[in-house]
Amino acid sequence: MTPRLLEIENLDVRLTAGRAARPILDGVSLHVGRGEAVGLVGESGSGKSVTCRSVLRLLPEGAEAAGSVRVDGEDVLTMSAARLRDLRRNDVSMIFQDPRASINPLRRIGDFVTEGMRAGGMSRDDALRRAAELLESVGIREPRAALRRYPHEFSGGMLQRVMIAGALAGEPRLLLADEPTTALDVTTQAEVIAILTGLRGERSMGLLFVTHDLELAAAICDRVYVMYAGRIVEAQTAGGLFDRPRHPYTSGLLAATPRLESDRPPRGVPGRPVSLAEAPAGCAFAARCAHARPACTRDVPARREIDGAHVACLRAEELSHD
Amino acid sequence: MTEYALEVENLRKSFGGQVAVDGVSFSLPPGGSLAVVGESGSGKTTTARMLVGLERPDAGRIRVGGRDRSAAARGRATRLSRARELQMVFQDPYLSLDPRVSVAQCVEEPLRLHFAMSPRERRARRDELLARVGLGGREADALPRRLSGGQRQRVALARALATEPKVLILDEATAALDVSIQAQILDLLAEIRRESGVGYVFVTHNLALVRHVADDVLVLHQGRVVESGPSSRVLTAPEHPYTRLLLHSVPRPGWDPARIAADRRALATESKESS
Ligand SMILES: Nc1ncnc2c1ncn2[C@@H]1O[C@H](COP(=O)(O)OP(=O)(O)OP(=O)(O)O)[C@@H](O)[C@H]1O
Ligand SMILES: Nc1ncnc2c1ncn2[C@@H]1O[C@H](COP(=O)(O)OP(=O)(O)OP(=O)(O)O)[C@@H](O)[C@H]1O
Ligand code: SF4
Ligand SMILES: [Mg+2]
Ligand SMILES: [Mg+2]
């Protein structure tokens, strides 16, 4: 059997340094196939970015990871530094949430986009030609001139395209997109998403799409994982998640999301999201859950399959029948 | 004739030759709620800032409760009474709350400024306001940085309500919050409006929010109002192509980002040709 494009198994991440020691991720497992778009959804602090960055072994300072993160069967967590550099350049790319914070403002756009190609040994002229093509493919007009410009000369939406062009330079098989459109307008968001989904189709690139927007995830992903307090609490097809959410947190999120087509006012979930470090024993959602039972606070609910959905809730079977 | 809580006529503002707000007019009945929507740079915040006097309009008229406030305020009394009538809540309460001042003091400050109250009355009113937004004694003693985003937004709300304003201007007030918390705050806002009759101007780029928070909506594009009307009508039967583009851009099942991208380019070409 050929290994999956991305397979994260039982990933734990914890900060180990002295007083700040605390867990961040607990037993995260997820996978992305070739050409598949997979969503990772959750509220702030749930661990989406840490999960996503771990695929490039970009762990928080002082953090230790256990479990495995395999790209095409190769474990990223244990590979050599040289192989890791190669992987980051040729196999896996990442788009970060805030383009302004992640592109060096003092260097020209051309330097940013060609960086990886030059490091890979391509000649300057070839790299520039390729960079211009990439900028054009993400909808930047007069790409040759754009290569000579600086980041501050671009709007947020345009700079996000530049970052995408940079991420695609190595023709990655897997693209990690960490809230790539959160800082953008809805109309610009649509354009950026059109570029990403187009490329995914053309190159059969795998996409791990991190967002806090369930509607957005469902609109572009085949499957969606829902995170809460450093753990995956539900995994389903995008359609299944909306038709029949299995975890009380997922239904809470859905009910809280304002909808264009619905007259039902958004309903809040009582309390606030917690990080894994703050989470009490047992189910981390128990304090906010209307269905909680005393048993819920004893052990962390194991993830199990119900009709194709994966759910970590003690009462998933009963609740799915109400 | 009914008197509007807020009436705006032909508001205009440029920054260094660039027009940011271009002839914006609207009116808000007492206790009404108006959403102002549009993409980044369309002039929403500039409009809001002119309403509360943080920015001086180049032209236009602003009337609150029938009284004109276009001219610069003369004297402390006028300034105070203007501030009392219109209050603003910002997107990031981190920036608008003084980090050195406890929640309790933060809410007492406008009470001290605007009302002649004994310390005892003031404390009672403060606790009432904090309770109104769902905060208790533990939060009252805390500094803003010890609070979560949702709690900080509740503090900003309590502080804005302290002066018993006629109108509250909310500029992306829930945009930075998690959805589960945003829904709590929206619920609270609806309750407060029902009970106190305060009116809202709800600045947002999130169209999905509009029907849940506003009776009417104003769509801004490049500083101009391209469409306005009851939210239910504008959201279901938009008349302007830009409003339609905004609506289609909201992710939902069957969403087609490639088509939206094409429509957007067509609209940009059109508006370039017509100007
Ligand atoms: N570099 C770091 N050092 C220490 N702790 C960190 C670091 N990065 C993340 N954390 C902690 O790990 C937890 C998960 O953070 P993460 O950034 O993955 O959340 P997220 O789901 O991406 O949230 P958001 O929606 O706000 O981006 C949080 O409690 C956060 O404080
Ligand atoms: N103080 C200022 N100096 C110069 N230009 C400004 C200033 N404030 C706003 N502008 C410009 O005015 C226009 C309208 O900006 P405004 O902040 O009102 O938009 P907005 O609709 O609130 O956008 P966003 O959704 O990004 O908050 C923009 O082109 C902006 O760059
Ligand atoms: S395990 Fe219990 S507390 Fe957790 S979500 Fe399920 S019912 Fe609620
Ligand atoms: Mg994140
Ligand atoms: Mg604004």
Side-chain angles (χ1 to χ4, degrees), chain A residues 8 10-15 22-28 45-52 54 59 64-66 227 229-232 276-277:
Chain A
I8 300 182
N10 258 319
L11 178 66
D12 297 339
V13 173
R14 54 167 33 252
L15 294 175
R22 62 199 157 92
I24 293 181
L25 298 183
D26 180 20
V28 169
S46 58
K48 305 181 295 297
S49 293
V50 172
T51 301
C52 192
S54 73
L59 298 173
E64 254 171 28
M227 277 194 98
R231 300 186 182 112
I232 304 243
L276 178 58

Side-chain angles (χ1 to χ4, degrees), chain A residues 2 9 36 49 64 67 69 125 183 199 227 252 256 258 304 315:
Chain A
T2 51
E9 257 179 318
E36 197 186 19
S49 293
E64 254 171 28
V69 177
D125 281 357
L199 287 164
M227 277 194 98
R304 57 194 187 279
R315 305 189 59 199

Side-chain angles (χ1 to χ4, degrees), chain A residues 15-35:
Chain A
L15 294 175
T16 52
R19 277 192 306 150
R22 62 199 157 92
I24 293 181
L25 298 183
D26 180 20
V28 169
S29 296
L30 66 81
H31 60 90
V32 180
R34 283 169 195 79

Side-chain angles (χ1 to χ4, degrees), chain B residues 53-112:
Chain B
L54 287 170
E55 205 80 74
R56 270 192 63 67
D58 297 341
R61 230 172 235 297
I62 299 168
R63 270 193 290 267
V64 178
R67 282 180 302 284
D68 192 284
R69 55 158 72 195
S70 309
R74 275 174 205 284
R76 183 179 147 86
T78 322
R79 259 203 320 278
L80 279 179
S81 84
R82 281 188 185 178
R84 195 153 57 226
E85 291 172 330
L86 280 190
Q87 286 283 323
M88 182 144 163
V89 176
F90 298 88
Q91 167 168 352
D92 191 350
Y94 247 142
L95 304 174
S96 55
L97 297 177
D98 186 335
R100 295 156 304 181
V101 164
S102 77
V103 166
Q105 287 169 292
C106 169
V107 176
E108 278 183 47
E109 194 180 283
L111 294 173
R112 192 173 296 124

Side-chain angles (χ1 to χ4, degrees), chain B residues 54-241:
Chain B
L54 287 170
E55 205 80 74
R56 270 192 63 67
D58 297 341
R61 230 172 235 297
I62 299 168
R63 270 193 290 267
V64 178
R67 282 180 302 284
D68 192 284
R69 55 158 72 195
S70 309
R74 275 174 205 284
R76 183 179 147 86
T78 322
R79 259 203 320 278
L80 279 179
S81 84
R82 281 188 185 178
R84 195 153 57 226
E85 291 172 330
L86 280 190
Q87 286 283 323
M88 182 144 163
V89 176
F90 298 88
Q91 167 168 352
D92 191 350
Y94 247 142
L95 304 174
S96 55
L97 297 177
D98 186 335
R100 295 156 304 181
V101 164
S102 77
V103 166
Q105 287 169 292
C106 169
V107 176
E108 278 183 47
E109 194 180 283
L111 294 173
R112 192 173 296 124
L113 199 63
H114 290 282
F115 305 103
M117 286 178 168
S118 71
R120 189 135 134 244
E121 285 169 325
R122 195 157 55 231
R123 280 196 299 275
R125 176 75 183 128
R126 168 200 79 195
D127 290 341
E128 200 177 288
L129 284 161
L130 285 174
R132 185 69 209 80
V133 298
L135 295 176
R138 199 152 59 94
E139 288 92 2
D141 295 330
L143 291 174
R145 83 183 130 80
R146 312 237 29 127
L147 302 179
S148 69
Q151 286 175 322
R152 284 198 298 272
Q153 210 50 298
R154 288 171 192 269
V155 176
L157 202 54
R159 183 181 155 90
L161 291 170
T163 66
E164 296 164 27
K166 288 195 168 59
V167 180
L168 212 56
I169 318 285
L170 300 140
D171 189 357
E172 304 279 9
T174 62
L177 303 175
D178 279 317
V179 281
S180 71
I181 305 298
Q182 167 176 273
Q184 295 172 2
I185 301 287
L186 293 177
D187 210 28
L188 176 63
L189 284 169
E191 228 175 78
I192 289 171
R193 178 155 81 105
R194 268 198 308 275
E195 283 172 14
S196 70
V198 63
Y200 294 151
V201 174
F202 210 101
V203 172
T204 178
H205 65 269
N206 183 351
L207 262 88
L209 266 183
V210 170
R211 76 186 300 156
H212 304 292
V213 298
D215 314 327
D216 296 291
V217 59
L218 197 72
V219 184
L220 286 188
H221 182 46
Q222 298 175 350
R224 283 186 218 158
V225 179
V226 294
E227 180 157 4
S228 65
S231 318
S232 52
R233 199 276 297 157
V234 175
L235 294 176
T236 51
E239 282 164 8
H240 194 278

Side-chain angles (χ1 to χ4, degrees), chain A residues 247-248 283 285-286 289 291-293 296 301 313-315 319:
Chain A
H247 196 282
C283 172
F285 188 61
C289 181
H291 307 288
R293 293 282 165 81
C296 298
C313 164
L314 279 187
R315 305 189 59 199
L319 296 174

